């Protein structure tokens, strides 16, 4: 009996070896027959065989026996193609060209469109950012990753945090949307980063220019829209593991994501953790206000940090309804450069050079909790989208307690605390009254409750309620000519709460005597704001050229810090004072975009002209409060223009060259700073890139090498007391490939990056630390591994 079992086992093992020796892999590439661009997400279906193309248009079907097979190649917006493949030992790469298609069925017109086609038909200047781009260019924060896109830059706060700037405007003039709901944190502050985990994001839409029509107040400069990920395939389970290490700040990071779906129900989850030390700069000393700060081993002391992020979602999908609920929590603790928070370090007893991984005072910690539900309902000719959200942002800033003016030395380190609760509701109806018109109507409403704590005062507690309603119509003159027109009305209420110092100050009375009183910093005040926004645009596609033009009026409500701040901001070494008489900002902007695609190349230009009727900014005055210069919020007319240029070409099928340039001109045409520019105005900049795709070499699959060369001009257009910055050249390089770790597993993706190859000392004009003479990070070598499960 045992001999028989052994014989059967040997027979099966031998048979398996024979079968394995006669199986092969089908490798293919799917392209758009018109543009010759790779197509992602194409289904390749055969009998008991299935694959889907990657972002590079490639697919692989493993363990296929020798023979002839028929496959169905299908993709939304393209004609389905049947393909017969003969599998042999010496078979070549299978190339498939799919044709774009429009199918008419009696009275119903069904048009499949790719995202790129939809963007072409939309008059708004929009950039689509793919998962491939994010993975290839990933930096220490989401906005640093996106800064390679022309017209997009960042205000950086150390190595791990940054905030978006679009065409020279940032803070609350740029809206960040995640899963349909506006991200609400403390984005008004210079040193407040963006609490979003950049891992697991598949698609981002960036809108340059006025976007208040759909996104409401604060979208006066543009939008970073982080779109929900596509729904997993039926009966699928997959995931990925990301590992990251960096040399400059000794960063170690891991992110794990999983998703599963049966027929109608699905879930996704992701955990991310990152820990890093002080980052290095290409200098050993920093001179700020004639005080020399020595740096040990080039470490920018106390810039270490750690982040722990978690998110989970559960969803349901059927023929006419899709609903997904997202729950996420982002936590970060980061040190501030020890000389960036006042100048207490001169007398500090902390040994900042004892360890490059210590998070000493001053530091901040922030926790952002978010719950969002997206529901889409299809019926008849209508599609209803409902987004409901709740967010809690809790930010604490800690520093060494010291006495300032009349304020005695506090008994704890919590200087400031901001607690913000935000409730959001968006409802949007998209319907087609006929074949020519697509109408979108909706309402957005948001309520914020903001509380403060700590012994330092900057802004008061406040409540904010906004509501807006909009409608716009896209009129299809023909398949290549579209008009868009719409209007929106917003109304908002801001209610500030009174605040008195917790200590007494000595004031002079009119009779010559003095009194000790608790100074009032803020008062109970209710302010109402309302404004009309509108947009009119067109898009015309002529052969391989796309023309866009859009004119829009946007508005932005003043923020609590602009209206009611009254305290010392030690991060900026100044006393900030709000103005309750500020009017809402109103902006008029004209955007034009022209792009043309040749056989193996493309070129595009996106100029804009922008005029602010009453731009709000913080103006330095000649007055002082307890040795701190007083800055007051005021308004002025501002004229801005500029744009972006982009070009790309492919040579020898393997070499791709890219060039991008961006320029912004800003000028205040009224007010105390008439004829000056605006703070943090980015200088002219050019990015040149070259990517070479090598052939497979041994275990290395699809290896590619990329070189980026950034050329930035001097920035001599400043607003006093800003300082000019010199131009710079920076070289970055990266190498990407994948290797097969196990026979039946997906390949391990490897990314090796060299940033600031020559350890160049330079100053980014939009960096927060640039204001205190801190250069950008020095040379950095990073390695990232991604294993798809």
């Amino acid at each position: 009996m045992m001999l028989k079992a052994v014989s059967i086992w040997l027979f099966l093992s031998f048979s398996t070896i024979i079968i394995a020796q006669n199986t092969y892999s089908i490798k293919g590439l799917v392209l758009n027959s018109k543009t010759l661009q790779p197509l992602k997400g194409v289904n390749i279906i055969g009998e008991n065989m299935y694959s889907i193309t990657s972002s590079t248009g490639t697919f692989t079907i493993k363990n296929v026996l020798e023979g002839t097979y028929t496959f169905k190649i299908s993709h939304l917006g393209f004609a389905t193609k049947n393909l017969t493949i003969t599998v042999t030992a010496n078979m070549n790469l299978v190339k498939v060209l799919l044709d774009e298609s429009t199918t008419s069925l009696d009275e119903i017109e069904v048009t499949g469109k790719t995202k790129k086609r939809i963007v072409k038909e939309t008059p708004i200047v929009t950039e689509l950012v793919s998962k491939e781009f994010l993975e290839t260019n990933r930096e220490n924060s989401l906005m640093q990753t996106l800064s390679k896109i022309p017209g997009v830059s960042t205000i950086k706060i150390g190595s791990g945090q940054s905030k978006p700037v679009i065409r020279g405007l940032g803070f609350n003039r740029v809206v960040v949307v995640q899963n349909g709901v506006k991200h609400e944190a403390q984005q008004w502050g210079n040193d407040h980063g963006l609490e979003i985990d950049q891992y697991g994001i598949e698609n981002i839409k960036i809108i340059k220019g006025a976007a208040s029509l759909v996104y409401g107040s604060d979208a006066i400069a543009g939008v970073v829209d982080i779109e929900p990920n596509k729904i997993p395939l039926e009966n699928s389970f997959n995931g990925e593991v990301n590992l990251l290490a960096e040399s400059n700040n000794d960063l170690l990071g891991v992110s794990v994501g999983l998703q599963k779906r049966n027929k109608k129900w699905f879930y996704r989850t992701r955990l991310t953790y990152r820990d890093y030390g002080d980052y290095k700069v290409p200098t050993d000393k920093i001179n700020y206000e004639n005080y020399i700060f020595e740096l040990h081993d080039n470490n920018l002391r106390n810039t270490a940090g750690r982040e722990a992020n978690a998110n989970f979602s559960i969803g349901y999908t059927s023929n006419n309804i899709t609903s997904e609920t997202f729950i996420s929590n982002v936590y970060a603790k980061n040190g501030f450069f020890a000389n960036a928070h006042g100048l207490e370090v001169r007398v500090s007893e902390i040994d900042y050079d004892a360890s490059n991984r210590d998070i000493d005072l001053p530091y901040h910690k922030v926790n952002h909790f978010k719950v969002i539900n997206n529901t889409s309902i299809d019926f008849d000719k209508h599609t209803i989208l409902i987004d409901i959200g709740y967010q809690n942002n809790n930010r604490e800033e800690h520093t060494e307690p010291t006495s300032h003016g009349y304020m005695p030395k506090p008994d704890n380190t919590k200087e400031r605390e901001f607690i913000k609760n935000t409730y959001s509701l968006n409802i949007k109806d998209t319907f087609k009254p006929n074949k020519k018109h697509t109408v979108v109507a909706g309402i957005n409403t948001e309520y914020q409750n903001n509380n403060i704590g700590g012994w330092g005062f900057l802004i008061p507690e406040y409540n904010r309620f906004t509501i807006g309603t909009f409608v716009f119509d896209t009129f299809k003159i023909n398949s290549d000519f579209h008009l868009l027109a719409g209007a929106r009305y917003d109304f908002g209420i801001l209610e500030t709460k009174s605040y008195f110092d917790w200590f007494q100050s000595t004031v002079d009375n009119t009779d010559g005597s003095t009194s000790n009183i608790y100074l009032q910093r803020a008062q109970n005040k209710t302010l109402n704001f309302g404004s009309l926004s509108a947009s009119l645009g067109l898009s015309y596609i002529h052969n391989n050229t796309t023309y866009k033009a859009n004119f829009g009026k946007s508005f932005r409500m003043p923020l609590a810090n602009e209206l009611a701040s009254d305290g010392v901001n030690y991060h900026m070494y100044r006393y900030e004072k709000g103005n309750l008489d500020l009017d809402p900002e109103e902006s008029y902007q004209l955007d034009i975009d022209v792009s043309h695609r040749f056989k193996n190349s493309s070129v595009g230009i996106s100029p804009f002209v922008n005029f602010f009727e009453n731009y709000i900014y913080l103006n330095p005055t000649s007055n002082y409060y307890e040795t701190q210069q007083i800055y007051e919020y005021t308004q002025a007319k501002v004229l801005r223009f500029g744009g972006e240029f982009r070009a790309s070409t492919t040579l020898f099928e393997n070499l791709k060259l890219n060039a991008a340039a961006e320029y912004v001109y800003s000028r205040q045409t009224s007010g105390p700073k008439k004829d000056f520019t605006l703070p943090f105005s980015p200088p002219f900049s050019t990015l040149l890139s070259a990517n070479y795709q090598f052939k497979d070499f041994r275990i290395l699959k699809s290896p590619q090498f990329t070189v980026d060369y950034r050329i930035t001009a001097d920035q001599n257009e400043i607003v006093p007391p800003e300082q000019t910055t010199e131009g710079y050249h920076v070289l970055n390089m990266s190498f990407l490939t994948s290797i097969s770790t196990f026979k039946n597993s997906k390949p391990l993706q490897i990314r090796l990056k060299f940033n600031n190859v020559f350890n160049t000392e330079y100053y980014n004009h939009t960096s927060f630390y640039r204001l205190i003479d801190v250069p950008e990070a020095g040379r950095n070598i990073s390695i990232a591994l991604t294993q798809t499960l």
Side-chain angles (χ1 to χ4, degrees):
M1 186 70 179
M2 183 175 180
L3 180 62
K4 182 178 180 181
V6 171
S7 300
I8 293 173
W9 179 81
L10 288 172
F11 173 76
L12 292 174
S13 300
F14 181 74
S15 299
T16 302
I17 293 173
I18 295 298
I19 291 173
Q21 288 176 344
N22 290 277
T23 60
Y24 307 98
S25 293
I26 301 174
K27 295 184 178 182
L29 174 65
V30 183
L31 304 174
N32 184 322
S33 63
K34 186 176 181 180
T35 65
L36 297 182
Q37 294 298 303
L39 294 177
K40 177 183 177 182
V42 179
N43 295 302
I44 297 90
I45 303 174
E47 186 175 354
N48 298 322
M49 287 179 282
Y50 171 78
S51 184
I52 187 169
T53 57
S54 67
S55 56
T56 59
T58 58
F59 69 90
T60 301
I61 302 176
K62 297 181 178 181
N63 301 324
V64 183
L65 293 171
E66 192 171 334
T68 301
Y69 301 89
T70 300
F71 292 88
K72 180 180 179 181
I73 317 295
S74 63
H75 190 50
L76 181 64
F78 291 81
T80 300
K81 178 174 289 188
N82 291 319
L83 184 68
T84 300
I85 300 176
T86 300
V87 178
T88 63
N90 300 314
M91 64 183 300
N92 297 320
L93 180 74
V94 178
K95 290 188 177 180
V96 183
L97 299 178
L98 291 185
D99 300 321
E100 295 184 11
S101 71
T102 299
T103 305
S104 296
L105 299 175
D106 299 327
E107 297 298 320
I108 303 175
E109 183 181 284
V110 180
T111 305
K113 296 180 182 178
T114 63
K115 284 190 175 182
K116 289 184 178 180
R117 176 69 187 192
I118 294 173
V119 167
K120 284 184 177 182
E121 295 178 358
T122 304
I124 301 172
V125 180
T126 305
E127 295 271 0
L128 293 181
V129 182
S130 65
K131 182 179 180 180
E132 179 186 17
F133 177 94
L134 295 170
E135 291 178 344
T136 302
N137 300 282
R138 183 171 289 132
E139 299 291 344
N140 272 318
S141 69
L142 176 62
M143 288 315 305
Q144 290 177 32
T145 300
L146 297 177
S147 62
K148 283 187 66 174
I149 297 171
V152 178
S153 54
T154 67
I155 295 177
K156 288 190 277 188
I157 311 103
S159 62
Q161 295 189 82
S162 58
K163 59 201 316 149
V165 175
I166 296 180
R167 290 175 167 173
L169 298 179
F171 301 97
N172 276 71
R173 294 181 180 91
V174 174
V175 163
V176 178
V177 175
Q178 186 175 29
N179 298 326
V181 172
K182 189 190 331 182
H183 182 77
E184 287 289 356
Q186 308 295 338
Q187 56 262 42
W188 53 270
N190 289 290
D191 53 345
H192 302 174
L194 194 62
E195 304 90 350
I196 291 179
D197 184 0
Q198 64 174 320
Y199 286 94
I201 297 174
E202 293 183 359
N203 294 287
I204 298 177
K205 179 170 63 178
I206 296 179
I207 299 175
K208 303 175 186 176
S212 292
L213 179 64
V214 177
Y215 296 91
S217 177
D218 296 354
I220 202 166
V223 177
V224 178
D225 190 347
I226 304 169
E227 300 178 332
N229 294 344
K230 63 182 180 182
I231 297 174
L233 297 173
E234 283 189 29
N235 301 314
S236 64
F237 175 79
N238 53 67
E240 67 175 21
V241 178
N242 306 92
L243 300 176
L244 176 66
E246 295 189 352
S247 65
N248 183 282
N249 59 352
D250 298 330
L251 180 145
L252 295 173
V254 58
S255 182
V256 180
L258 298 172
Q259 63 178 17
K260 187 181 188 305
R261 177 185 168 186
N262 52 29
K263 185 172 180 61
K264 294 184 177 182
W265 289 91
F266 60 92
Y267 74 84
R268 324 176 207 249
T269 186
R270 178 169 289 273
L271 298 174
T272 300
Y273 183 79
R274 301 184 345 141
D275 189 289
Y276 50 90
D278 300 341
Y279 71 92
K280 291 180 171 61
V281 292
T283 184
D284 57 4
K285 62 183 64 176
I286 291 173
N287 184 345
Y288 181 71
E289 292 189 343
N290 298 320
Y291 187 86
I292 304 299
F293 300 105
E294 301 286 345
L295 302 181
H296 176 68
D297 196 25
N298 300 104
N299 286 322
L300 195 65
R301 53 195 181 193
N302 203 43
T303 54
R306 56 178 176 266
E307 302 169 20
N309 311 321
N311 64 72
F312 174 81
S313 72
I314 185 168
Y316 172 87
T317 184
S318 64
N319 291 334
N320 61 348
I321 184 170
T322 298
S323 182
E324 186 170 9
T325 299
F326 306 85
I327 303 174
S328 66
N329 194 82
V330 174
Y331 170 84
K333 182 179 180 181
N334 310 86
F336 287 125
F337 170 45
N339 313 111
H341 194 96
L343 298 177
E344 294 92 342
V345 70
R346 296 180 180 181
V347 295
S348 174
E349 297 180 356
I350 299 175
D351 184 358
Y352 288 103
D353 298 323
S355 170
N356 73 326
R357 302 196 82 87
D358 287 346
I359 305 176
D360 293 311
L361 296 168
Y363 68 84
H364 78 155
K365 58 182 180 180
V366 59
N367 194 87
H368 194 96
F369 176 74
K370 185 185 298 185
V371 180
I372 295 174
N373 175 266
N374 301 148
T375 298
S376 172
I377 305 172
D378 294 319
F379 60 92
D380 237 358
K381 297 181 180 180
H382 293 258
T383 298
I384 306 295
L385 296 177
I386 304 173
D387 302 320
I388 303 173
Y390 167 74
Q391 300 174 69
N392 173 267
N393 184 272
N394 191 324
R395 174 186 172 87
E396 295 182 9
E397 298 176 2
H398 291 255
T399 190
E400 289 183 85
T402 57
S403 59
H404 292 283
Y406 292 105
M407 184 186 75
K409 182 178 179 179
D411 60 2
N412 61 76
T413 64
K414 187 193 294 185
E415 179 187 9
R416 288 197 287 257
E417 182 178 21
F418 305 102
I419 304 172
K420 183 177 184 178
N421 295 290
T422 304
Y423 305 85
S424 306
L425 172 63
N426 305 322
I427 302 175
K428 184 169 65 174
D429 180 17
T430 303
F431 61 96
K432 295 177 69 69
N434 53 50
K435 296 180 181 180
K436 293 292 186 179
H437 293 268
T438 301
V439 179
V440 179
I443 185 171
N444 312 117
T445 183
E446 183 180 88
Y447 174 76
Q448 297 178 12
N449 169 254
N450 294 264
N451 299 298
I452 62 173
W455 43 262
F457 176 81
L458 185 58
I459 66 172
E461 295 184 343
Y462 67 94
N463 297 325
R464 185 175 188 251
F465 173 77
T466 60
I467 185 169
T469 181
F470 64 90
V471 61
F472 63 89
D473 179 20
T474 302
F475 175 48
K476 185 175 74 172
I477 298 175
N478 58 50
S479 60
D480 293 325
F481 194 5
H482 295 77
L483 295 177
L484 183 148
R488 175 189 181 101
Y489 184 78
D490 284 274
F491 176 77
I493 301 174
L494 184 70
E495 181 186 60
T496 62
K497 300 180 181 179
S498 65
Y499 179 88
F500 291 84
D501 282 343
W502 56 275
F503 57 90
Q504 291 185 335
S505 297
T506 302
V507 297
D508 296 326
N509 300 320
T510 56
D511 59 2
S513 62
T514 60
S515 300
N516 294 324
I517 64 172
Y518 295 95
L519 290 179
Q520 184 174 7
R521 302 288 184 181
Q523 56 182 298
N524 291 318
K525 191 75 174 180
T526 300
L527 301 170
N528 299 330
F529 302 96
S531 184
L532 181 69
S533 303
S535 181
L536 177 65
L538 64 87
S539 172
Y540 178 61
I541 304 171
H542 178 65
N543 295 328
N544 292 324
T545 305
T546 301
Y547 304 89
K548 293 184 179 184
N550 187 77
F551 178 77
K553 174 187 179 292
S554 294
F555 108 110
R556 183 182 72 86
M557 284 179 54
L559 304 176
N561 62 304
E562 297 166 333
L563 294 165
S565 59
D566 191 6
V568 178
N569 187 343
Y570 291 105
H571 301 289
M572 304 298 295
Y573 313 100
R574 66 194 184 199
Y575 191 99
E576 298 181 3
K577 193 167 183 61
N579 183 354
L580 289 171
D581 296 325
L582 294 176
D583 295 320
E585 283 184 344
E586 292 186 344
S587 168
Y588 301 87
Q589 182 156 327
L590 173 65
D591 289 283
I592 297 174
D593 184 86
V594 180
S595 60
H596 180 79
R597 179 170 292 280
F598 302 93
K599 183 178 180 180
N600 295 314
S601 58
S602 65
V603 64
I605 186 170
S606 304
F608 74 92
V609 178
N610 175 217
F611 176 72
F612 278 89
E613 183 68 33
N614 42 15
Y615 184 89
I616 300 173
Y617 69 99
L618 198 57
N619 177 50
T621 70
S622 58
N623 300 320
Y624 283 80
Y625 178 86
E626 296 178 358
T627 73
Q628 298 290 337
Q629 187 177 9
I630 296 178
Y631 283 61
E632 295 180 345
Y633 281 99
T634 187
Q635 293 185 287
K637 298 180 186 294
V638 173
L639 173 66
R640 305 171 62 252
F641 63 81
E644 301 84 43
F645 170 81
R646 59 196 182 276
S648 67
T649 185
T650 301
L651 304 176
F652 320 119
E653 295 187 356
N654 295 326
L655 177 61
K656 186 173 183 179
L657 304 177
N658 293 281
E662 55 190 270
Y663 173 73
V664 174
Y665 172 91
S666 301
R667 189 66 64 206
Q668 299 183 44
T669 60
S670 70
K673 288 296 185 292
K674 183 181 179 183
D675 297 327
F676 283 99
T677 185
L678 297 176
F680 289 104
S681 293
F684 175 79
S685 180
T686 300
L687 179 64
L688 306 175
S689 301
N691 175 274
Y692 189 83
Q693 179 77 56
F694 296 91
K695 294 182 179 179
D696 291 355
F697 179 75
R698 298 184 184 274
I699 63 171
L700 301 181
K701 306 300 180 183
S702 303
Q704 55 180 296
F705 181 71
T706 303
V707 176
D708 293 333
Y709 189 53
R710 171 79 69 178
I711 305 172
T712 301
D714 298 342
Q715 181 53 289
N716 298 315
E717 293 287 333
I718 59 169
V719 184
E722 268 193 327
Q723 299 295 317
T724 61
T725 53
E726 296 182 356
Y728 55 87
H729 297 192
V730 176
L731 179 68
N732 300 323
M733 299 187 301
S734 64
F735 176 77
L736 288 85
T737 188
S738 60
I739 60 174
S740 297
T741 51
F742 300 100
K743 182 176 179 181
N744 294 321
S745 68
K746 296 182 180 180
L748 173 68
Q749 298 177 4
I750 303 174
R751 185 195 67 191
L752 188 64
K753 294 190 70 176
F754 297 82
N755 283 354
N756 196 359
V757 174
F758 297 114
N759 204 35
T760 304
E761 182 179 354
Y762 69 99
Y763 294 84
N764 186 338
H765 196 75
T766 62
S767 171
F768 169 68
Y769 281 161
R770 182 263 309 177
L771 301 174
I772 52 175
D773 195 45
V774 175
E776 294 301 297
R779 182 185 298 112
N780 183 39
I781 302 174
S782 67
I783 182 169
L785 307 177
T786 300
Q787 178 65 65
T788 303
L789 306 176

